[in-house]
Amino acid sequence: MSSAPDPGLVPENPAAAYGFDAAYRGAPPNWDIGRPQRAFVHLEETGRIGRRVLEVGCGTGELSLYLARHGHDVLGIDFAPSAIAQARSKARWRRVPAHFLVWDALKLPELGVRVDTVLDSAMLHCLGEAEQARFVDGLASVLDPGGSYFLLCDVKPEGASYFHGASLSRSEIERLFAGPEWELESVSETVFERRASHNPAYLVGVTRT
């Protein structure tokens, strides 16, 4: 899978983009653990990730690099330029053929790629409600029929109108993927690992019909 030249795309929410970009300029943020999340490693080990992969919100690229080393054709996107710069540097020094692009995940229809699998390590749960719906709509433009979207997100207690930190409840996940183009295959309890802790999380598996 080839990627287009980096277009310097301006995110629709530049304040949020700046916040994430600034987080990657100093010490690694607590969600950047220096390796892929174990939940995604298990998916790879059990053969559930297709050959052509798009990782949305890839950060500094550890998951994309891991998958590229295991033979997948991978493109990682993030709207934080400093994160993508680090990911590209890692790929170069490790000699791993992963591709990275500064891109807004709300503009997937403009990306111009088709993949078997989309991976999301805690990106969707950072978006607002309208942005989440728009992202899900855009998924169909890059994911082939029969392909899979796997989401790792922090757990929001059911019925909570507000919960500290970014998170999703099971019912919110079910509503997001209630459309006829999606089949919600699984919502499994797991953990999201951070540098000094871990949170209860869902690993969500969705198939594009």
Side-chain angles (χ1 to χ4, degrees), residues 106 127-137 176:
L106 296 181
L127 302 178
E129 186 175 342
E131 293 174 321
Q132 289 171 354
R134 182 175 171 189
F135 170 76
V136 171
D137 287 342
L176 280 169

Side-chain angles (χ1 to χ4, degrees), residues 50-62:
R51 186 183 66 81
R52 298 169 300 154
V53 178
L54 172 67
E55 184 188 1
V56 294
C58 66
T60 64
E62 290 294 341

Side-chain angles (χ1 to χ4, degrees), residues 144-174:
D144 280 341
S148 298
Y149 168 67
F150 292 106
L151 163 70
L152 184 65
C153 65
D154 284 347
V155 171
K156 179 190 293 185
E158 201 61 53
S161 58
Y162 172 79
F163 188 63
H164 63 86
S167 55
L168 287 168
S169 68
R170 184 182 292 263
S171 62
E172 287 172 332
I173 293 165
E174 291 171 348

